[in-house]
Amino acid sequence: MTIPSPAGPENEGPQNAAPQNAAPRNEGPRPVAPRPVAPRPVAPRPAVPRSGGSGGPGGGPARALQRVTASALGPYQSAVVRIGFAATYLFFLLRELPNRHELYGPDSPWHWDLARQLTNGNEAFSVLMWTDSTVWFEAVYALTLLSAAALLLGWRTRTMSVLFMVGVLSVQNRSIFMGDGGDNVVHLMAIYLVLTRCAQVWSLDARRATRNAQRAAAGLPPLRDIVGPALWVLLGPVLVVATVMGGLGGTWWLPALLWTIWLSAAAWWAVNRYLPHGEPRTLLDVLANLAHNATLAVIMAEVCLIYATAGWYKIQGSRWQDGTALYYPLNLDYFTPWPALSDILGTSGLMVMVLTYGTVIVQVAFPFTLFNRRVKNVLLVAMICEHAGIALLLGLPFFSMAMIAADAVFLPTAFLVWLGARATIGRRRLLSGLPGRSRTPEPGAFGPAHGPAHPPEAGSVKDGRGGTEEPRLQGGGGGHTLVG
């Protein structure tokens, strides 16, 4: 007789195991190890090229076309150009305020009758040629001052850019012998700014667009705009009368430009009011972006052309070849606002030679360094320092301001973003110390510090490369139109 173990059958050792020929005990179903299943063959999928990718045919041109039509490039650079040229002409008009009658007004040696004959011959445009009234001259001068200040702040930028262009052309064409090379640069840039979307950042228009975006996110309607339509209605009859009376000069492009801008402003207003999310809105954005990007390319080419022609022209002069060209302006009374400083530089032959040859080398080499970012930035700093020296040593501050503003189109975006952030922080610290000011952080007065003020309509849209496209602007791009 066998005595069972007290531990139970589950703990029976090998000495109590049943013989091999014994019937198996009914201990329940045993777990079955799963069989390895062979993977099912999957049919290969055809490779689909990504839209705009570099691997597909035409990917590079398609991506470039998408970029130039979907967004206005260089928002910070165009804003700096706007601020720079508006400030340059504003300060110039303020400095010449006591002498305005002798330079451009009724007391000018270049009399109104002589200016009339000249403008009739070269078909130049100037509203000062409409009448020789002193009251009219004062009104035009004041309007040019106010438009320059408003353009500097980015208030109703599209309207102010047009008025700024009209004021600059009118004042300069009234007395063409008053000015220097900087006036020619301001003359051209005043026309170019009309075609750019230069109020995306650092402007009051950008702040207004940001507020409308915040209201849209909260489910509120945008702020009612009265000033924009009022400006449009006010300027329309003026444009009609000027066209009928032949007061827009003898060229065809200026009337065409003014009428196109005035009519496009009405189109922007109608589309934003009745079809804010439709295809006409997208088409207007594309056309505006194309005009902006093309104009920005023209500004870059203009700056390169200025430096290339100036540098190669200097090479042909014997004084630039022997390194003594800088000596002569440093010893002219007309170009020596600081005689002691000019004497120190003029008496050093080594310094004169280095500055003379350095000026030629920088101007000739700059257009060829645009494809190398580091070298371009070094030469850009050198040219800005050169113009600062011209302003200090030769007494040409407005020429230097105009050229530095033109050079700003090549400044790196990272530097401009950093500069804007520092300016915003400094402004907040300055205002927080004033009595009655809240210390609560508030949005920047000139738009966000790290990006254009693009208020989204329905959130960001993926661009197919892991990023997001720039959302569309309310009201025509932050002051892009006369009614925006």
Side-chain angles (χ1 to χ4, degrees), residues 156 159 225-237 262 269 482-484:
R156 306 289 170 176
T159 308
D225 186 13
I226 300 177
V227 178
L231 289 172
W232 185 82
V233 173
L234 179 64
L235 294 175
W262 190 74
W269 180 86
L482 288 174
V483 299

Side-chain angles (χ1 to χ4, degrees), residues 15 18 70 105 348 361 386 395 422 454 475:
Q15 66 274 11
S348 175
I361 292 173
E386 172 191 339
R422 297 301 97 189
H454 290 296

Side-chain angles (χ1 to χ4, degrees), residues 112-442:
W112 187 86
D113 293 333
L114 296 176
R116 183 72 174 176
Q117 295 178 19
L118 181 62
T119 54
N120 289 337
N122 59 14
E123 299 182 342
F125 164 75
S126 176
V127 298
L128 292 177
M129 294 294 98
W130 293 358
T131 175
D132 59 350
S133 170
T134 304
V135 176
W136 177 245
F137 167 77
E138 296 288 358
V140 172
Y141 199 92
L143 181 63
T144 307
L145 264 172
L146 294 177
S147 63
L151 186 63
L152 173 65
L153 298 176
W155 182 78
R156 306 289 170 176
T157 311
R158 181 57 54 214
T159 308
M160 294 303 117
S161 64
V162 174
L163 295 179
F164 179 73
M165 178 192 70
V166 171
V168 169
L169 297 184
S170 300
V171 173
Q172 290 188 353
N173 290 336
R174 167 62 178 86
S175 298
I176 62 173
F177 300 105
M178 301 293 178
D180 49 31
D183 293 330
N184 295 332
V185 178
V186 175
H187 190 106
L188 293 173
M189 295 300 172
I191 301 174
Y192 297 153
L193 285 175
V194 175
L195 302 174
T196 61
R197 308 183 82 168
C198 54
Q200 298 178 93
V201 296
W202 300 341
S203 66
L204 297 178
D205 291 339
R207 185 175 68 170
R208 187 174 67 253
T210 302
R211 288 179 176 176
N212 286 333
Q214 293 172 351
R215 292 176 61 88
L220 300 175
L223 297 173
R224 186 178 180 182
D225 186 13
I226 300 177
V227 178
L231 289 172
W232 185 82
V233 173
L234 179 64
L235 294 175
V238 176
L239 183 58
V240 172
V241 173
T243 303
V244 173
M245 300 299 294
L248 297 180
T251 60
W252 64 268
W253 64 267
L254 184 60
L257 176 63
L258 295 177
W259 276 106
T260 300
I261 294 174
W262 190 74
L263 294 176
S264 65
W268 274 96
W269 180 86
V271 169
N272 285 329
R273 184 175 178 85
Y274 300 107
L275 294 171
H277 306 285
E279 292 184 359
R281 179 64 164 80
T282 303
L283 177 61
L284 290 177
D285 263 328
V286 168
L287 294 177
N289 291 334
L290 285 174
H292 168 91
N293 296 329
T295 306
L296 206 62
V298 171
I299 292 176
M300 294 179 180
E302 187 78 34
V303 176
C304 292
L305 184 63
I306 290 174
Y307 284 118
T309 53
W312 288 104
Y313 187 78
K314 287 181 175 66
I315 291 177
Q316 303 175 29
S318 60
R319 295 294 177 262
W320 291 96
Q321 293 176 4
D322 58 26
T324 60
L326 191 62
Y327 171 81
Y328 299 98
L330 290 176
N331 286 274
L332 292 176
D333 294 338
Y334 185 77
F335 292 109
T336 53
W338 310 98
L341 185 59
S342 299
D343 290 341
I344 293 175
L345 290 177
T347 54
S348 175
L350 178 61
M351 185 62 66
V352 169
M353 183 183 66
V354 169
L355 292 177
T356 302
Y357 286 148
T359 300
V360 176
I361 292 173
V362 168
Q363 291 182 353
V364 172
F366 178 74
F368 300 99
T369 63
L370 297 182
F371 300 101
N372 190 307
R373 182 178 302 177
R374 295 181 179 179
V375 179
K376 182 262 296 181
N377 290 339
V378 172
L379 291 187
L380 192 60
V381 172
M383 288 193 302
I384 292 176
C385 294
E386 172 191 339
H387 291 303
I390 291 175
L392 180 64
L393 296 175
L394 303 183
L396 299 173
F398 300 109
F399 166 78
S400 299
M401 288 180 63
M403 292 308 303
I404 291 175
D407 295 341
V409 74
F410 295 105
L411 288 175
T413 301
F415 169 74
L416 294 177
V417 171
W418 174 87
L419 188 64
R422 297 301 97 189
T424 301
I425 293 175
R427 182 186 63 85
R428 289 177 179 173
R429 290 178 178 177
L430 178 63
L431 295 180
S432 63
L434 298 178
R437 296 289 300 186
S438 173
R439 295 181 180 271
T440 304
E442 59 182 5

Side-chain angles (χ1 to χ4, degrees), residues 33-37:
R35 291 182 178 180
V37 181

